[in-house]
Amino acid sequence: MKNFNRCLIASLLLVSAHTAMADDWGGIERYAKANSELALPAKGEHRVVFLGNSITEGWYRDHPGFFNSNNYIGRGISGHTSYQFLVRFREDVINLKPEIVIINAGTNDCAENTRPFDLEMTFGNIKSMVELAQANGIKVILSSVLPSEKFGWNKNVTDAADRIAALNAKIKEYAKEKKLPYVDYYSAMVSGPERKLNPAYTNDGVHPTPAGYDVMESIVKPVIDKTIKKK
């Protein structure tokens, strides 16, 4: 009987945990405490928020010095799509009063983490985030989706490289049209006719290693610095 009760309690706790995760589909609670403890920017402070998925989350985990020494704030959540970015955009970007937000969205849209891939809807979500940022006086830097030929967690997607290329083309053209800075990680990290993430920069074909983040940092920091100086 005692074993049965223990199993029942464990099962209830597991169900409760899954329910809590489902209730926070948008990930608003992920950084709620950190956001509440973050003071408003000081006078002359150039606050920068990196909004992203596991690539951004892993970036801060592997290279915290890059963020801390430059006053950058990482707001990446593993598995998130552009739909979820929109849900938490106020909490994780607008309310933090940054000077700049860098939006890196699309990998998990292409992988169909939340719904079937729709190029126009994903692109529309990115445009909505740009408009929200600009309406709140926040400068926007758009970035390319990193290359990948497949997603290990969704083998049903067989055209990952094509999806990423199509989305990047739209983001790049939109950035040009709206005169927004564009960070092209893709060109520096793509490899071979398969258009995969260069094996020198990844262990799983999707997420960068510390060496991959070195490359990304060398590309994005000059763009940030130039955007800060531009009035």
Side-chain angles (χ1 to χ4, degrees), residues 24-39:
D24 191 29
W25 180 84
I28 290 173
E29 293 301 319
R30 172 65 175 82
Y31 292 104
K33 186 174 186 293
N35 289 343
S36 69
E37 294 172 349
L38 191 65

Side-chain angles (χ1 to χ4, degrees), residues 167-214:
L167 181 55
N168 280 341
K170 279 192 167 289
I171 296 171
K172 185 176 182 179
E173 182 59 31
Y174 178 70
K176 181 179 178 182
E177 175 192 337
K178 298 297 181 180
K179 296 181 171 56
L180 300 172
Y182 176 72
V183 177
D184 186 7
Y185 303 127
Y186 182 93
S187 296
M189 303 179 79
V190 69
S191 175
E194 310 93 343
R195 293 168 292 169
K196 62 184 177 181
L197 184 54
N198 191 323
Y201 304 138
T202 185
N203 291 323
D204 64 4
V206 176
H207 301 90
T209 57
Y213 287 126
D214 285 339

Side-chain angles (χ1 to χ4, degrees), residues 3 6 9 11-12 34 36 98 105 126 129 137 143 170 179 215:
N3 287 337
R6 288 195 189 102
I9 291 169
S11 298
L12 290 172
S36 69
I126 292 170
M129 286 185 274
S143 64
K170 279 192 167 289
K179 296 181 171 56
V215 173

